[in-house]
Amino acid sequence: MNCTRLDEEFPFTAAIKRSPGVHLMDVIKDMARELFNAGLKYVDGVPDPVMFEKGFIWERLLSRAFGDDKVTRPGEIMCDGIACSPDGIEVDEAGEIVVWEYKCTTMGTKHSPEDTWSWKMQALGYCHVVGANTAIFRILHLLRDWKEERHVYAVWRLEFTDAEIEDTWMSIVNHAKMRGWV
């Protein structure tokens, strides 16, 4: 037998097109860097594109799995000069708007969206722009915790108060203004 590794580039898909200007996650990532000295993992000075691609693939898979009858992918929504792109919006049985977010992560299952600052900020921001108080996270955990025997799909529901949503949005807008982005 002859086994040879081929030198082939990964066939990256076209991610959802983003408009020019500042986006919610740009502001949140900048806030995280300032507050926690946290940021993206870099390879040769740029973010690892394969890490982003797994998230795009997960988003496309769930968008197809749930289809338009359950959730709508709204595209970009501009609010106060900041572009926001929720993965999905549902109107539940009670007529309430619910934000959906899809995450594919190497974090273990002990991490919830409540514990993940940037995810919580993102959900609060999206809730503001669509007039919701609830967010649903559908997360694929690629790395297991010691107690898990397989990869885990976890679904979380976060409910926010109006005050939490408005305070968060004000901090996001104020940070973007401080940077001169809006």
Side-chain angles (χ1 to χ4, degrees):
M1 174 186 352
N2 183 11
C3 179
T4 307
R5 183 175 176 168
L6 301 178
D7 185 22
E8 179 178 290
E9 292 290 320
F10 184 83
F12 291 102
T13 59
I16 295 168
K17 301 284 187 249
R18 290 178 56 162
S19 64
V22 67
H23 292 256
L24 178 60
M25 284 310 294
D26 297 330
V27 180
I28 291 170
K29 288 173 190 172
D30 193 66
M31 291 172 77
R33 192 177 65 251
E34 280 199 8
L35 293 170
F36 311 113
N37 197 26
L40 298 171
K41 304 270 188 284
Y42 286 83
V43 175
D44 296 327
V46 296
D48 182 356
V50 176
M51 295 298 288
F52 288 107
E53 188 67 23
K54 70 178 171 58
F56 296 141
I57 291 168
W58 181 240
E59 285 179 27
R60 282 190 297 280
L61 175 69
L62 288 184
S63 293
R64 281 195 166 180
F66 287 108
D68 290 337
D69 57 328
K70 177 78 174 163
V71 65
T72 302
R73 190 170 188 110
E76 283 188 357
I77 302 167
M78 290 298 293
C79 185
D80 297 323
I82 299 171
C84 300
S85 304
D87 291 336
I89 297 175
E90 170 194 20
V91 178
D92 68 13
E93 301 83 27
E96 299 294 321
I97 298 170
V98 178
V99 170
W100 284 28
E101 272 303 300
Y102 308 141
K103 300 294 182 189
C104 183
T105 183
T106 55
M107 287 190 290
T109 56
K110 67 180 179 179
H111 299 280
S112 77
E114 180 182 31
D115 305 327
T116 309
W117 184 84
S118 62
W119 291 3
K120 187 169 63 173
M121 293 290 286
Q122 183 181 27
L124 283 157
Y126 291 158
C127 282
H128 172 82
V129 301
V130 302
N133 287 81
T134 303
I136 300 285
F137 279 81
R138 298 181 183 283
I139 304 169
L140 177 60
H141 293 273
L142 296 176
L143 296 182
R144 303 178 275 257
D145 291 325
W146 65 272
K147 64 182 181 227
E148 303 292 343
E149 295 183 16
R150 57 185 166 76
H151 303 300
V152 175
Y153 170 65
V155 181
W156 294 84
R157 179 184 181 94
L158 285 76
E159 296 179 8
F160 304 110
T161 66
D162 290 340
E164 288 172 313
I165 293 167
E166 292 312 309
D167 290 348
T168 299
W169 188 252
M170 285 184 63
S171 69
I172 289 167
V173 170
N174 288 339
H175 187 84
K177 284 180 181 178
M178 178 202 64
R179 287 287 192 213
W181 295 337
V182 294

